Amino acid sequence: MNSSLVSDIGAGVFRTELTLFFSTFTTLLAVINPFEVLPVFLLLLRDKSNQERGRVALMSCLYALLLILFFLFFGAVILKIFGVSLSMVRIAGGIVLMKIGFELFLPSSDGDGTPAFARSTGNIAFMPLAMPLMIGPGPIATVLGMMATVEHSSHEALAFGVILGAIFLAVGVTYACLAFATRLTTTLGPLGIDAATRIVGFFVSAMGVSLIFNGVMDALRSAGFGGLH
């Protein structure tokens, strides 16, 4: 009787944590959205060797992982210290995404069609690939919600381990998408990559506008305008 009860409890905990793992993995993979990053990755590294593309793919995913872990452990504290609400993070992130989207969609002023950030000599693995394309307001909000899930779990250590496993798997899948992206250069060709980049740029801009709108609406609701929907 007791062993059966323990077995039932163990099975229930297993199902709960398995559900948490898959929900965290799918949600995080959706908000990172490696297919949104792919055209930008190919554009930025279109004249680079396969070895260099592999290195940038690895470094950008490593940066993304470190950013996720940083916000997982310190995100809520940082927001409280600086007095910044999540709605403000959405607005700021939306502005950055909208700017990047416009640069991807519209040709540059010098006529070569290259976005301004693509001509940057800085660390493109970190900016714009890791942040804000991979880790923007959506993943940050998701990660902050993960800690709330852990705190409300009856098995905090297990839930935290499950969430960490889901994070590593989501970043691993993202890396696999970028690592095999080089094969798309021969499949799509320069015109196909350019078209995909501009299409993605349009939707990145739309996502930026959506984030700004939602951030403004959240800020207004938190300020007492409860009738806004």
Side-chain angles (χ1 to χ4, degrees), residues 20-99:
L20 176 63
F21 176 84
F22 281 110
S23 63
T24 302
F25 166 70
T26 54
T27 301
L28 195 57
L29 190 63
V31 293
I32 291 176
N33 195 359
F35 293 106
E36 174 189 286
V37 184
L38 273 176
V40 184
F41 176 82
L42 292 174
L43 174 67
L44 293 175
L45 300 168
R46 58 186 174 185
D47 298 324
K48 304 296 183 181
S49 64
N50 289 341
Q51 183 179 3
E52 178 65 12
R53 288 173 183 167
R55 186 191 70 81
V56 172
L58 178 61
M59 291 305 301
S60 61
C61 289
L62 179 60
Y63 286 135
L65 177 61
L66 293 176
L67 286 169
I68 291 173
L69 295 178
F70 174 80
F71 284 109
L72 183 67
F73 289 108
F74 305 111
V77 176
I78 294 296
L79 293 182
K80 288 180 181 178
I81 290 176
F82 289 98
V84 178
S85 65
L86 196 56
S87 60
M88 297 300 106
V89 174
R90 289 193 179 99
I91 293 172
I95 293 172
V96 174
L97 279 180
M98 188 171 61
K99 180 178 183 297

Side-chain angles (χ1 to χ4, degrees), residues 140-221:
I140 291 174
T142 302
V143 169
L144 293 177
M146 290 175 188
M147 281 309 296
T149 301
V150 171
E151 292 171 358
H152 290 87
S153 174
S154 57
H155 302 81
E156 289 189 15
L158 182 58
F160 188 74
V162 165
I163 286 175
L164 280 180
I167 289 172
F168 277 89
L169 182 59
V171 174
V173 171
T174 302
Y175 168 71
C177 291
L178 295 182
F180 288 101
T182 54
R183 298 183 180 181
L184 293 177
T185 56
T186 54
T187 303
L188 295 178
L191 292 179
I193 293 174
D194 182 68
T197 300
R198 293 180 187 275
I199 292 171
V200 168
F202 176 80
F203 285 105
V204 168
S205 297
M207 287 175 58
V209 173
S210 176
L211 283 170
I212 294 172
F213 177 79
N214 291 331
V216 170
M217 296 299 289
D218 287 343
L220 290 175
R221 279 193 290 266

Side-chain angles (χ1 to χ4, degrees), residues 85-146:
S85 65
L86 196 56
S87 60
M88 297 300 106
V89 174
R90 289 193 179 99
I91 293 172
I95 293 172
V96 174
L97 279 180
M98 188 171 61
K99 180 178 183 297
I100 289 177
F102 281 147
E103 290 182 355
L104 289 171
F105 182 73
L106 299 174
S108 60
S109 58
D110 59 10
D112 67 353
T114 304
F117 63 79
R119 297 191 296 272
S120 172
T121 57
N123 188 354
I124 60 173
F126 183 79
M127 169 67 185
L129 291 177
M131 179 177 270
L133 288 178
M134 290 186 195
I135 309 302
I140 291 174
T142 302
V143 169
L144 293 177
M146 290 175 188

